[in-house]
Amino acid sequence: YNSKSGLMILQSSDLPDDPIQLMLSNSLGQFLYATTLFTNPLLNLDLKDYPQGIYFLYFRYHNQQRIFKFLKP
């Protein structure tokens, strides 16, 4: 996360063949953003308009889910 630009850059060199659902939620469980990744291993999330706080990134694929927690200062 780059706090000056407000951008979070997500990059993967090992994407599964199936689409990946990506969702962003705040600490209250409100989903703020959702997209589906197909083949592009690079995604820029613009977080500059979101307030400071704790956020969660959800990745869903192949009936699996991974959750990453991060703090926006």
Side-chain angles (χ1 to χ4, degrees):
Y1 175 72
N2 183 328
S3 59
K4 289 184 182 182
S5 68
L7 287 178
M8 175 178 280
I9 300 171
L10 305 172
Q11 184 175 5
S12 175
S13 59
D14 188 25
L15 287 177
D17 293 333
D18 292 339
I20 298 172
Q21 271 190 304
L22 174 113
M23 296 171 289
L24 174 71
S25 75
N26 61 17
S27 60
L28 299 175
Q30 299 168 319
F31 286 96
L32 309 170
Y33 178 80
T35 190
T36 302
L37 303 175
F38 292 97
T39 57
N40 188 356
L42 182 65
L43 176 69
N44 293 321
L45 287 176
D46 186 355
L47 303 174
K48 67 182 173 205
D49 293 331
Y50 295 119
Q52 295 177 344
I54 297 172
Y55 292 89
F56 298 90
L57 277 174
Y58 295 81
F59 294 89
R60 291 185 181 162
Y61 58 94
H62 293 298
N63 295 323
Q64 298 179 18
Q65 177 173 277
R66 294 196 180 179
I67 303 169
F68 297 92
K69 179 180 174 181
F70 69 95
L71 175 67
K72 181 183 177 209

